[in-house]
Amino acid sequence: MTTATRLGERAGSSGAAPIGFDVLGEVEDRLLWLSSAIVHHANRVRPNPSGLKVGGHQASCASMVSIMTTLWFRHLGPRDRVSVKPHASPVLHAINYLLGELPEAYLTTLRELGGLQSYPSRSKDPDPVDYSTGSVGIGATATIWGALARRYAGDGADAGAPAGLTEGAPAPGDRGFTGRQYALVGDAELDEGAVWEAVLDPAVAELGELVWIVDLNRQSLDRVVPLAASDRLRGMFTAAGWQVLEVKYGRVLEELFTRPGGDALRARLDAMTNAEYQRLLRCAPPELRRRLPGTGPGAAGIAALVAGLTDDELVTAVGNLGGHDLTMLDAALSAVADDRPTVILAYTVKGYGLPVQGHPQNHSSLLTQEQMDQLADRLGCDTDRPWADFAPGSPAAGLCAETAERLRRDDPALQPPPALPTDIGRTPTGSGTTQAALGRVLLDLTRQAPEAAARVVTVSPDVSSTTNLGGWVNKVGVWSATERTNWFADDAETILHWRERPTGQHIELGIAETNLVGLLGELGATWSRWGRPLLPIGVLYDPFVQRALEPWSFGIYAGGQSILVGTPSGVTLAPEGGAHQSITTPSLGVEQPGCTTWEPAFAIDVEWTLLAALARLGRPDGGSAYLRLSTRPVDQSLAAVPTDPAARERRRRQVVAGAYPLRRVAGAEVTIAAMGATTTEALAAADRLAAQGVAADVVCVTSPGLLFRALSSRTGQDTGAPGWILDQVFPPARATPLVTVLDGHPHTLAFLATIRQVPVRTLGVTHFGQSGSLEDVYRHHGIDTDSIIRAALDLTR
């Protein structure tokens, strides 16, 4: 007998299960069994020679089974996408198995090398996963950015340009969107501040495709959450413009509330603390009859009401929450609005249907073999054949087949990324900054490669003007799902023209770096989701890259390909003081998988590296990039760009590969390897050393990460990295003592000495900065010209 049937029988005629819900209940029971068995096999059946805990979350799966059953087998369409609560991944795999999307052999491989991942992964799991989740909070907010990215990219069924780039093109579908974006979220996950940063962004209130379902089981990892949060959550979502639906009690309790004493029972349950309620779930019937009425004025009425229930009916009623009632969930999902986001607060019991249900420490608990045997008997399963599918021709098998057909998706036809030039041909002159060069290159791209420029979308957390994107924004406009009136269009003193329209190519968010990188990741995934390659560039203040680091890294892990630009950077931002001076970001870029980091010294370096980074986006063999730029004006003639076309191309290849010799001198006794803004000091130091009779080569490092990979390739640790750049920039014949200098932590370049095994002095920033002039601040940190000279003399004299 299925869970749905049991509840329907207990509810009486007014709560009888609709036709078909008994079959849905069979699927619900099978998913509870399969998800429990997947975790059980990984921990108690599969050999584990190391003895290390494998892990898994049977209780977290159980609280989601009813919700996921109703969503997949009643409501999802092929254009919908779902972000699944991390710890419920076995339920997702069980669903994919029943739908024929996952071979049976994988059910025994949870958390095994090459098998099912610990949490849903788009890039690593063998079955369909819409969103990678695992870092708490990011999976939920990803649906927000996925919705925005889909609106911008347009309907994936069409082969034209993105909707954001097609004049007057509305979002497809008569509801203003194509396909819903569902997030299945644990209530404890809503403690993450990043969730509310995303919910409160002004763009979110218009996303009618957004539906969050909160698994309100009132437990976290360690405990029962002490205070009821539903009222607070309801108010916060309502204030943000969301539709709030609540599925609190199931049909059994709702029917009891209509009987004498029912009002008092409802009031008692509503007022009860989470901990007291959870304790009731663990009580035997006699103890439950004693505790449930309480001591309030309605106690007598409640006692009389429960006296008329059998022990089984009483136990069923106390645990009968709406998040486990298929018909109540179905009604809520059918009531979702189209004109604003929706959150469904679904009350559940953690571990529902398992012996550990409601226990405050059930988060990572595992059922014993005896308990699994009892669960199999109750659900009509067989522990000797744990992966048995429904009998062919049975109603449940038919429902799975119908659902699989309804949800079938064709792989998107990947449009080729746009062709990009490698060199626009401009040779910058005069004084300029690498930050200003970013905007210049984007504008040049609109003229030199308009098809590629049409695919560029920039994103900023309210710092467009201060990061030199103003000219670009004026050129391409600001993206909005609907055109908005620019009330300052006729104001002669307005320099930045804020034209919001569906054809804009810049997306402006509020001041929240986590939102920026969240959207950036989803814009960078449109090529794999819908075959629509975009060229997304996110610009933020470099000191705040660390604030955005985790969601940025997670976006790369999930397959998002984009460019992150951190500017201004380092202690070179001298007057701003230590709070706005980044120190560790150069090494963070080196250490980030799936990402190439560049720190250009000159405007031409920005052009070449940015074009190279753009060319790696929107393709299966592509990847992300991080550019660290500066507001320091630099004499562009110091770049000494070769005039000969072949020599210029050689320089460009070296810049993109990670470094280039900026100055070679006969009889060099020392090499100064500088990066970014400190290149000016390196050249000045070389001049003064020459006056003292010490010849110094100067190497400009543009990407320490690429140089490290080239070095690793020598020992076979990174076979995909070319090693030729090391021989061109650090040839054996010029192996001299080395001084490294950068506006960041010195360990970023320290490995360069191992290329030729030479003595080294590493200069950089190792403590919080100070406000002051550039000269004073550089001197304070020991990255000024004098410090470079002293280090070189220490190595050569």
Side-chain angles (χ1 to χ4, degrees):
M1 182 180 297
T2 68
T3 301
T5 304
R6 284 195 300 272
L7 295 180
E9 289 179 351
R10 295 289 181 257
S13 59
S14 64
I19 295 174
F21 275 80
D22 54 343
V23 179
L24 193 66
E26 290 184 50
V27 174
E28 176 191 27
D29 283 353
R30 187 59 56 89
L31 291 177
L32 176 61
W33 166 256
L34 287 172
S35 59
S36 300
I38 288 171
V39 178
H40 178 76
H41 188 280
N43 286 273
R44 299 197 186 278
V45 178
R46 192 171 69 215
N48 182 11
S50 71
L52 294 174
K53 175 185 175 182
V54 176
H57 302 85
Q58 291 172 321
S60 295
C61 288
S63 68
M64 288 296 302
V65 164
S66 305
I67 293 170
M68 294 176 70
T69 301
T70 309
L71 181 60
W72 257 264
F73 292 87
R74 292 281 292 184
H75 289 270
L76 280 188
R79 291 183 177 272
D80 298 332
R81 298 293 184 269
V82 187
S83 173
V84 176
K85 186 179 81 168
H87 292 156
S89 62
V91 185
L92 175 62
H93 298 311
I95 289 174
N96 285 333
Y97 169 62
L98 292 182
L99 298 183
E101 297 284 358
L102 181 68
E104 178 181 320
Y106 277 104
L107 299 179
T108 61
T109 66
L110 179 68
R111 302 188 175 206
E112 187 177 64
L113 183 64
L116 300 178
Q117 299 301 296
S118 52
Y119 309 120
S121 172
R122 285 190 72 222
S123 58
K124 295 182 179 294
D125 271 319
D127 52 333
V129 174
D130 293 334
Y131 286 99
S132 296
T133 60
S135 186
V136 175
I138 293 178
T141 58
T143 56
I144 293 177
W145 315 126
L148 280 175
R150 186 165 194 169
R151 287 200 181 200
Y152 184 91
D155 186 355
D158 299 331
L165 312 181
T166 306
E167 188 66 41
D174 57 9
R175 299 182 299 183
F177 58 85
T178 299
R180 295 196 183 277
Q181 299 277 343
Y182 292 93
L184 308 180
V185 188
D187 53 351
E189 194 168 358
L190 296 181
D191 290 344
E192 285 289 334
V195 169
W196 299 104
E197 286 186 347
V199 166
L200 293 175
D201 193 274
V204 177
E206 299 176 349
L207 300 178
E209 62 266 52
L210 192 62
V211 182
W212 286 10
I213 306 174
V214 179
D215 171 18
L216 201 66
N217 59 49
R218 295 170 282 190
Q219 284 188 234
S220 61
L221 189 151
D222 291 326
R223 60 175 183 164
V224 175
V225 177
L227 301 175
S230 56
D231 290 343
R232 177 167 51 90
L233 293 176
R234 188 185 308 111
M236 293 168 71
F237 278 108
T238 299
W242 291 48
Q243 177 192 28
V244 180
L245 302 175
E246 193 171 58
V247 187
K248 188 169 187 179
Y249 299 118
R251 288 168 295 138
V252 175
L253 275 175
E254 289 290 352
E255 192 277 331
L256 284 179
F257 294 155
T258 65
R259 301 183 189 180
D263 289 342
L265 177 60
R266 182 193 292 273
R268 166 85 168 117
L269 292 175
D270 284 344
M272 193 176 290
T273 66
N274 293 339
E276 183 180 6
Y277 176 75
Q278 297 282 105
R279 184 63 186 91
L280 291 181
L281 296 174
R282 308 289 301 170
C283 290
E287 182 70 8
L288 186 56
R289 293 181 188 278
R290 185 183 68 80
R291 289 184 180 227
L292 180 58
T295 59
I302 298 172
L305 174 61
V306 301
L309 302 177
T310 66
D311 286 350
D312 286 345
E313 289 173 335
L314 178 59
V315 170
T316 297
V318 169
N320 181 228
L321 298 181
H324 302 298
D325 189 309
L326 300 177
T327 58
M328 304 291 279
L329 289 166
D330 183 67
L333 286 165
S334 299
V336 170
D338 292 334
D339 61 342
R340 61 195 187 280
T342 296
V343 60
I344 299 173
L345 303 178
Y347 286 70
T348 60
V349 175
K350 193 166 185 176
Y352 184 74
L354 302 181
V356 297
Q357 70 175 14
H359 193 282
Q361 279 82 53
N362 66 10
H363 182 77
S364 298
S365 63
L366 298 169
L367 302 190
T368 64
Q369 184 61 57
E370 181 182 2
Q371 289 172 325
M372 287 294 294
D373 292 340
Q374 294 170 352
L375 182 66
D377 289 341
R378 182 165 63 82
L379 299 178
C381 298
D382 186 349
T383 53
D384 293 329
R385 298 176 60 246
W387 320 121
D389 206 343
F390 292 113
S394 66
L399 175 59
C400 291
E402 293 169 9
T403 302
E405 183 62 30
R406 168 168 48 84
L407 298 181
R408 193 170 309 282
R409 304 173 184 167
D410 295 326
D411 292 333
L414 177 59
Q415 299 176 20
L420 283 150
T422 57
D423 188 346
I424 291 174
R426 179 190 296 274
T427 302
T429 59
S431 178
T433 72
T434 54
Q435 176 179 287
L438 170 68
R440 180 77 264 168
V441 174
L442 291 178
L443 289 174
D444 284 344
L445 202 62
T446 64
R447 292 182 286 269
Q448 298 293 322
E451 290 187 5
R455 293 283 172 175
V456 172
V457 51
T458 55
V459 188
S460 168
D462 198 37
V463 293
S464 302
S465 57
T466 53
T467 54
N468 281 94
L469 285 182
W472 165 259
V473 172
N474 285 345
K475 175 75 173 178
V476 302
V478 178
W479 181 82
S480 175
T482 58
E483 186 154 359
R484 303 180 191 276
T485 301
N486 178 14
W487 294 104
F488 289 87
D490 59 349
D491 188 333
E493 297 182 7
T494 298
I495 298 176
L496 183 61
H497 302 290
W498 210 255
R499 295 189 296 269
E500 298 180 81
R501 54 196 179 187
T503 57
Q505 290 178 244
H506 175 76
I507 300 178
E508 188 83 358
L509 300 174
I511 305 175
E513 286 76 15
T514 56
N515 289 351
L516 166 86
V517 294
L519 178 55
L520 205 61
E522 289 305 317
L523 289 167
T526 58
W527 69 274
S528 59
R529 290 194 190 281
W530 306 299
R532 295 296 192 83
L534 296 175
L535 306 178
I537 302 173
V539 182
L540 77 166
Y541 291 162
D542 194 68
F544 305 135
V545 165
Q546 289 172 294
R547 184 182 298 174
L549 184 59
E550 186 199 9
W552 175 50
S553 176
F554 205 84
I556 296 174
Y557 167 78
Q561 298 176 1
S562 59
I563 299 171
L564 186 68
V565 178
T567 182
S569 62
V571 299
T572 301
L573 193 62
E576 291 286 346
H580 283 76
Q581 296 171 356
S582 53
I583 297 173
T584 61
T585 48
S587 58
L588 292 175
V590 172
E591 296 157 10
Q592 176 58 50
C595 174
T596 301
T597 180
W598 283 287
E599 184 165 346
F602 301 102
I604 190 65
D605 300 349
V606 175
E607 176 189 312
W608 290 337
T609 55
L610 180 61
L611 292 174
L614 288 169
R616 299 181 68 241
L617 301 180
R619 54 197 322 127
D621 60 345
S624 295
Y626 163 50
L627 271 66
R628 190 175 189 251
L629 305 183
S630 173
T631 52
R632 182 184 184 181
V634 173
D635 179 1
Q636 297 302 305
S637 68
L638 295 176
V641 180
T643 56
D644 180 80
R648 179 186 175 104
E649 172 59 16
R650 186 172 188 266
R651 166 70 71 84
R652 185 200 67 81
R653 293 180 68 245
Q654 291 173 337
V655 167
V656 171
Y660 58 95
L662 185 55
R663 181 178 296 179
R664 292 287 200 214
V665 295
E669 299 178 60
V670 67
T671 299
I672 304 171
M675 189 166 75
T678 60
T679 302
T680 298
E681 277 64 36
L683 290 169
D687 290 339
R688 288 173 53 187
L689 285 168
Q692 299 179 55
V694 178
D697 282 348
V698 178
V699 169
C700 184
V701 176
T702 55
S703 177
L706 289 177
L707 296 182
F708 185 81
R709 289 188 60 192
L711 183 61
S712 298
S713 70
R714 290 182 171 179
T715 58
Q717 293 172 284
D718 195 334
T719 56
W724 60 265
I725 187 63
L726 300 181
D727 293 327
Q728 290 191 8
V729 179
F730 299 101
R734 305 189 75 87
T736 63
L738 182 66
V739 177
T740 66
V741 58
L742 75 154
D743 184 359
H745 200 283
H747 82 76
T748 306
L749 299 180
F751 73 93
L752 294 179
T754 66
I755 296 174
R756 301 299 172 201
Q757 303 298 322
V758 297
V760 66
R761 292 290 185 273
T762 57
L763 306 182
V765 182
T766 57
H767 47 276
F768 290 115
Q770 300 285 338
S771 294
S773 68
L774 183 65
E775 294 77 9
D776 288 341
V777 169
Y778 271 25
R779 187 180 306 110
H780 173 76
H781 290 285
I783 58 175
D784 59 321
T785 302
D786 287 351
S787 296
I788 297 173
I789 292 172
R790 285 194 295 270
L793 292 175
D794 286 343
L795 291 169
T796 58
R797 293 292 184 266

